[in-house]
Amino acid sequence: MASPMFRKNSVYFREQFEAVFHNSSVVVKSICLAVIVGYFISFSTSAFGVLSVTPGYIMPPHFWVWSLITYPFMEIHFWDVAIDIMVIGLCGKLLEPLWGAMEMLIFFILITTCVAVSSTFVYLFIYMCTFNIEYLFFVHIHGLVGYVAGVSVAVRQVMPDHILLTSPVGKFRNKHVPVSVFFLVIVLSLVGLRSVYPCMFGTGFLFSWIYLRFYQRHSNGSRGDMADNFTFASFFPNVVQPFIAMVTNSIYTFLVKAHICKKMVRKYDVGAPSAITISLPGTDPQDAERRRQKAIKALNERLQKTEEETWPLLEETETPVDEVLKPVPEPEPTVAAPQVAALSTTAAVHT
């Protein structure tokens, strides 16, 4: 019984895999191919050490800068390769039609580079605090964990309310994925697994949000996404959102005063024919996509309800043809009451 089920599932996953990558661009196919090749190269310990980012070797005097390009494709487990390919395929299916292949490549290069550099400085700081040389030469930053975090943030930006799982506790949506996976990675690190992943996922989460929030260029010439439902505090549960919003708003105010970030500007179109139009720079593409997703979801739910409802049958009474063709009798003339009284008086006189 398990064999037919396994065969059926394998056929289904193969068809989905072929459908995703058959319509994908050269960028998606190239990244997937590089991850597969890097997995087989990682069987060599010496090659893995050279091609992954080691904090002690990327800094002078060694200066192994090529590892910033090669480290994302170094995976040491097959299931990591499978997860990476699934995420890249998801990115090619959901984000590439909205962004384009070039923007997707820019996002990949930017996030992977920021993750490697920031993680290196984190481990250098840990070494300065502990003087443990293992954090310099025995830590290897590798894999697409940081990019996976960036994709989860981007998908949460495009489809925040999409339901992934329904449970008795509640509904698990796209907006819950980044923080949930981040805490899962921290738990795995505490039990002795994936010690380098929390740093990579956390930095990928942070830098991808900063890029999408403030710097991503859109087709209408605007930058970023200043929507209220894409704030940094909105990623966390409602209980802690006020505290996180207070901290992040203070940091944002400082960055604006330091001219690192631009202040949000509201534009008023007074010359609009209907009414005053208020627009925020950077919100048009994302808000339009969110409205489209919500409209599609509402339409699907309405269609499902329509299909489930049983409409009552209307009883039609057919009129025979003879009844239709039968002439309508003319109404008999009615005599008014005074005329009836006059006729009665005349009859009485003649008698």
Side-chain angles (χ1 to χ4, degrees), residues 14-26:
R14 187 177 70 251
E15 292 176 352
Q16 296 297 320
F17 183 83
E18 293 176 354
V20 169
F21 292 99
H22 178 72
N23 301 324
S24 60
S25 65
V26 179

Side-chain angles (χ1 to χ4, degrees), residues 20 23-29 88-105:
V20 169
N23 301 324
S24 60
S25 65
V26 179
V27 176
V28 174
K29 295 177 182 178
I88 295 170
L90 177 67
C91 186
K93 189 175 180 181
L94 294 180
L95 301 180
E96 190 177 20
L98 299 175
W99 293 357
M102 182 56 64
E103 177 62 26
M104 180 178 171
L105 181 61

Side-chain angles (χ1 to χ4, degrees), residues 64-296:
W64 289 3
V65 292
W66 63 81
S67 60
L68 295 175
I69 302 174
T70 57
Y71 90 93
F73 312 113
M74 295 292 106
E75 294 286 7
I76 58 178
H77 297 106
F78 175 77
W79 50 86
D80 293 333
V81 176
I83 294 174
D84 292 344
I85 293 177
M86 289 174 59
V87 171
I88 295 170
L90 177 67
C91 186
K93 189 175 180 181
L94 294 180
L95 301 180
E96 190 177 20
L98 299 175
W99 293 357
M102 182 56 64
E103 177 62 26
M104 180 178 171
L105 181 61
I106 293 173
F107 184 74
F108 177 83
I109 296 174
L110 179 66
I111 297 305
T112 53
T113 305
C114 290
V115 167
V117 174
S118 58
S119 299
T120 299
F121 279 104
V122 168
Y123 281 104
L124 287 176
F125 178 76
I126 295 175
Y127 167 74
M128 293 172 61
C129 296
T130 60
F131 294 101
N132 188 352
I133 200 171
E134 292 184 356
Y135 291 109
L136 289 181
F137 300 103
F138 294 95
V139 171
H140 300 285
I141 302 170
H142 63 92
L144 285 176
V145 180
Y147 182 69
V148 170
V151 172
S152 67
V153 174
V155 173
R156 182 245 183 269
Q157 178 194 26
V158 177
M159 305 170 59
D161 296 325
H162 180 70
I163 299 174
L164 299 176
L165 180 65
T166 303
S167 64
V169 180
K171 296 179 180 179
F172 188 73
R173 304 176 186 270
N174 277 337
K175 61 183 180 181
H176 303 139
V177 172
V179 175
S180 300
V181 177
F182 182 51
F183 282 111
L184 176 62
V185 169
I186 292 177
V187 171
L188 292 177
S189 175
L190 293 177
V191 298
L193 301 174
R194 317 288 187 174
S195 60
V196 75
Y197 279 7
C199 182
M200 295 180 64
F201 193 94
T203 53
F205 175 24
L206 178 62
F207 282 104
S208 60
W209 177 79
I210 292 175
Y211 173 71
L212 296 175
R213 179 72 170 175
F214 300 105
Y215 299 106
Q216 187 184 35
R217 184 179 293 275
H218 303 290
S219 58
N220 61 351
S222 60
R223 285 182 176 272
D225 181 8
M226 302 303 294
D228 293 336
N229 59 351
F230 194 57
T231 60
F232 190 76
S234 64
F235 286 85
F236 296 88
N238 297 331
V239 180
V240 296
Q241 281 187 10
F243 174 74
I244 296 176
M246 181 178 62
V247 175
T248 54
N249 291 337
S250 302
I251 297 174
Y252 174 69
T253 304
F254 171 77
L255 294 177
V256 169
K257 291 182 179 179
H259 301 285
I260 299 176
C261 293
K262 293 183 178 180
K263 189 176 181 180
M264 183 178 64
V265 180
R266 297 182 182 271
K267 296 180 179 180
Y268 298 90
D269 188 6
V270 183
S274 59
I276 296 177
T277 303
I278 302 174
S279 61
L280 300 179
T283 59
D284 294 340
Q286 289 76 16
D287 289 343
E289 179 61 24
R290 293 190 191 101
R291 295 191 193 98
R292 189 177 71 85
Q293 294 294 337
K294 291 181 179 179
I296 292 174

